[in-house]
Structures are given as structure tokens and as C-alpha cells.
Amino acid sequence: MFRRLTALGLGLVLLAGCGTEGLRETPADPGETPPATVEITMADAQEAFDGLGDLADAWKDRDCAQIQQLTTGAEGAIASGVCAAARDGYAAPAFRAYHDPEFLLPRREDGENGAWFAVLARKPQPAYFVFVWEDGRWRLGAGPILLVGKAPAMDGAVLDAEAVPDAAVAARVAPTRHVAFLTDPSGVDGAGVSGVRLASGDPMRRLLVELVRAPGRARPDRLTTDVRIEGPARALALPAGGALVFHALRVVFTQKPGSGRSSLAHPRYRAADVRAFTGGAATTVTGGEIVVLATKVAKDTTMTTIGMRRVLADIRKGSG
């Protein structure tokens, strides 16, 4: 079932937990065996988005316990490291007020656990947000994911991709294909062995170039990179086939001094940031940067990056 609302003056970019009203299960018809279908009401979605300022206040106060209560998924992973570092002097990113939202409320057929919805906020800069129902409240799972391409039209019924076989396949391939693409150095010229092809202007192409060139730019330091899937993906079926997938990757950089050296020649991270995250200086450091994505996967599995945000999530001593 499709529901849409455009409302001005709603909330900041961070989530406050909402009450349990508005999320309801519609039971199956008598004699049918399928599980109940969860319907998210517009009032519930509006309340979640309108309450984003509570989490903004928690960030302002560096209330890490409250932030953990109000986030999950990629946002929870970011918050777990960044909030503690912010208490020790790290300059956490500033948050902007977002408004003029369009709500995308998919129906689910596996009960309320894991229910979710997306929001495309148009102002001041178009960005997606993903809210997840967890432990009796709505939590911010991802956002803002800043629009870097054209948002696909969602006219008609809004469906969780898992309910549409072709869309479900498209949704599942996006994270793994991104990992394959970003760990294939030969893909810089657009013809890598991974078989994944992205348009020349796609931001993931630029990220691959950065990852391939980073070790050379760090010399004489030794720098290695790794790309991993961060948390679950959630997706909406697109009317023309395929899916709009919300997911995240963790890009890991490990840097250590070159042979015969006792310190880094070209440190990737500022000394002040290393101290804020680790509590002191470090010779070898490992940084985790989370890339939160909205990816359009067409019916033929062609991928296009629609939204992207990149955040330094943690820095650790050593190579672990």
C-alpha cells in the first residue's frame, strides 16, 4: 500500500524513538496460512521523522547512551565510535535540519519485527533516511544519505523488495557486487575482472581509484585497504523492475611505518583524531570509514549510485 506525505518544517536529521501506536498487523484471511502483513501508518512515520531533533540534542550533549538507543544499523555503528571520540575532542559532523519529506512505507509479510520505511527529504539538500522498528521503537538506521543522482520514481504501490522475486534478487546483489568492484584494482579503467560495470561518473568509480592509489601515496608507509559489508541491506521494489537498495560498506585502512622507520611519514589521520579515538598516539593505526549508500539496481542488475555518505567511524591502534 502506498502512502505519501509532504510536510514542511519537520525535524532535524536525527531520530527520536516513537511510541508503539501506528504500527499494526493486518491478519491473514480465515483459512489462509501466510503471516500477517504489517502496515506502517502515516502518523507513525511522521512522528518518527518529526522527532529527529531528540537525537540531534543527544549528539549536542554527547549523550552516547541515548544515541545508542535511538540508532541502529549503520548509524549505530557510526555512533558507537564517534560519540566517545567526540567526548575526547573529535569534531563530530554537524547535523542540518531537513524537511519537505516524502514517506515510502513498504508493507511486510513477516510480522512487525524488522519493519522499516524510508524517507526522501527534499530540503535543504535531497537525502534519504531509513527508519527501523527495533525493541519497540523507531530507530534511525541510515541517514542522511545525500542524493548524488536522480531519485527513482516510486509511483504506485510501495513494496519491500523481498515481496517481489526479481527485486529481491536485485537487492541482494548490490552489497556483494560493490565489494567485488572495490577490491578489484583492474577495475580502475572500467574493465575489471569482477565483471561489475559502473558508469564513468559514478561515485563508486572515484572511490575505487582512491583505494587503488592510496598505498602509493602513503609510501614509504605501508598502507593496506579492505572493503566489507556493514550490516543488512533493505530495499524497495521499483515499478519498472529492480530495486532501490539502502546498504552500507566499511572501508578499512591499515597504515604502519615503512621498513626501518619508527613513525608514519604520511599519516592518513590527524594526530588529534587518533588521540580522540584511541586515547593516545599510535605507530600503526587502523581506520574504519563507513560508506552509506542508496543504489539503484535495474532489472538487468546494472547498478547506479543514487545516494552516498561517507563517515569516519573509528580509529584503532594496531592492525586489528
Side-chain angles (χ1 to χ4, degrees), residues 243-303:
L244 175 61
V245 188
F246 303 102
H247 61 112
L249 304 172
R250 182 180 290 263
V251 182
V252 180
F253 297 89
T254 298
Q255 186 175 14
K256 59 183 65 178
S259 179
R261 297 185 58 87
S262 59
S263 61
L264 296 174
H266 305 291
R268 181 174 182 83
Y269 303 109
R270 299 188 312 137
D273 293 342
V274 174
R275 284 194 300 271
F277 277 96
T278 69
T283 301
T284 297
V285 297
T286 297
E289 302 179 19
I290 292 182
V291 182
V292 191
L293 296 160
T295 302
K296 178 183 176 181
V297 185
K299 193 173 183 178
D300 64 358
T301 71
T302 300
M303 300 198 307

Side-chain angles (χ1 to χ4, degrees), residues 49-289:
F49 185 76
D50 197 26
L52 290 175
D54 287 356
L55 187 50
D57 290 341
W59 273 105
K60 183 178 179 180
D61 297 337
R62 303 296 188 253
D63 187 344
C64 299
Q66 179 72 350
I67 292 169
Q68 286 297 316
Q69 286 293 314
L70 303 177
T71 58
T72 189
E75 294 307 316
I78 292 168
S80 63
V82 172
C83 184
R87 283 179 166 180
D88 292 326
Y90 178 66
F95 300 104
R96 305 169 67 187
Y98 278 80
H99 49 93
D100 195 10
E102 175 185 333
F103 291 97
L104 305 171
L105 312 181
R107 291 169 60 123
R108 291 178 59 90
E109 295 184 352
D110 56 356
E112 71 178 29
N113 185 36
W116 68 282
F117 68 91
V119 179
L120 175 57
R122 297 287 183 179
K123 297 178 181 179
Q125 179 181 359
Y128 283 107
F129 296 83
V130 176
F131 296 89
V132 180
W133 183 261
E134 185 177 282
D135 296 331
R137 69 162 71 214
W138 288 110
R139 301 169 186 256
L140 181 64
I145 310 172
L146 302 179
L147 219 63
V148 296
K150 183 179 180 181
M154 297 299 297
D155 297 328
V158 176
L159 298 175
D160 189 315
E162 290 299 318
V164 182
D166 289 345
V169 172
R172 293 182 188 124
V173 302
T176 54
R177 294 182 77 202
H178 270 141
V179 170
F181 178 78
L182 293 174
T183 53
D184 177 14
S186 64
V188 170
D189 60 3
V193 297
S194 71
V196 181
R197 302 289 185 267
L198 296 172
S200 60
D202 195 289
M204 300 305 283
R205 287 279 296 270
R206 294 194 293 271
L207 179 55
L208 174 61
V209 171
E210 177 189 338
L211 296 181
V212 170
R213 294 177 178 175
R217 290 175 172 174
R219 291 191 183 105
D221 302 332
R222 290 174 291 175
L223 186 141
T224 59
T225 64
D226 189 20
V227 182
R228 307 164 188 171
I229 295 173
E230 181 72 25
R234 294 179 172 85
L236 299 171
L238 294 175
L244 175 61
V245 188
F246 303 102
H247 61 112
L249 304 172
R250 182 180 290 263
V251 182
V252 180
F253 297 89
T254 298
Q255 186 175 14
K256 59 183 65 178
S259 179
R261 297 185 58 87
S262 59
S263 61
L264 296 174
H266 305 291
R268 181 174 182 83
Y269 303 109
R270 299 188 312 137
D273 293 342
V274 174
R275 284 194 300 271
F277 277 96
T278 69
T283 301
T284 297
V285 297
T286 297
E289 302 179 19

